[in-house]
Amino acid sequence: MSKITAILGAAILAVSVAGTAHADDKLIKKGAKVFKKCKACHAVGPDAKNKVGPQLNGLIGRKLGASDGFAYSDALKAKAAEGLVWDEANLTAFLKKPRDFMPGTKMAFPGLRKEKDQKAILAYFKSLEK
């Protein structure tokens, strides 16, 4: 491989990585904006406490019903007993239409219908874990 080919390859990779990082940052910012719909009931961050809904720190990968001190619905407790975890698939399905994913949930929020909003809020939650 010539020196010019190697330099060109490295430059293309750097631009690609920078473009991906920019896209990720943009998605995270969009997710923070989407999360404003959730703030009335949920909190995130170092000082997050349970509100009407549980705090959502460390949500992705967390077992359902794992926020200490929160009184979960019987529907959520039943799902938790099945061993469900808030992975991306379960969280996306719940965020899309909470009452379809978990009939009997206390959560009154109708859901995030737009796939781009679902992806953005997942990116935001992931960014909080870094």
Side-chain angles (χ1 to χ4, degrees), residues 48-103:
K49 304 224 182 309
N50 293 330
K51 297 164 98 175
V52 172
Q55 61 81 16
L56 301 177
N57 289 331
L59 182 63
I60 298 176
R62 184 168 87 185
K63 291 180 181 180
L64 273 69
S67 185
D68 290 338
F70 186 76
Y72 289 99
S73 67
D74 290 340
L76 194 132
K77 289 177 189 174
K79 288 278 190 186
E82 294 173 17
L84 286 180
V85 172
W86 286 124
D87 61 18
E88 289 187 39
N90 287 332
L91 191 52
T92 298
F94 184 72
L95 289 170
K96 182 177 182 178
K97 217 167 183 185
R99 292 186 185 274
D100 281 0
F101 180 81
M102 190 178 303

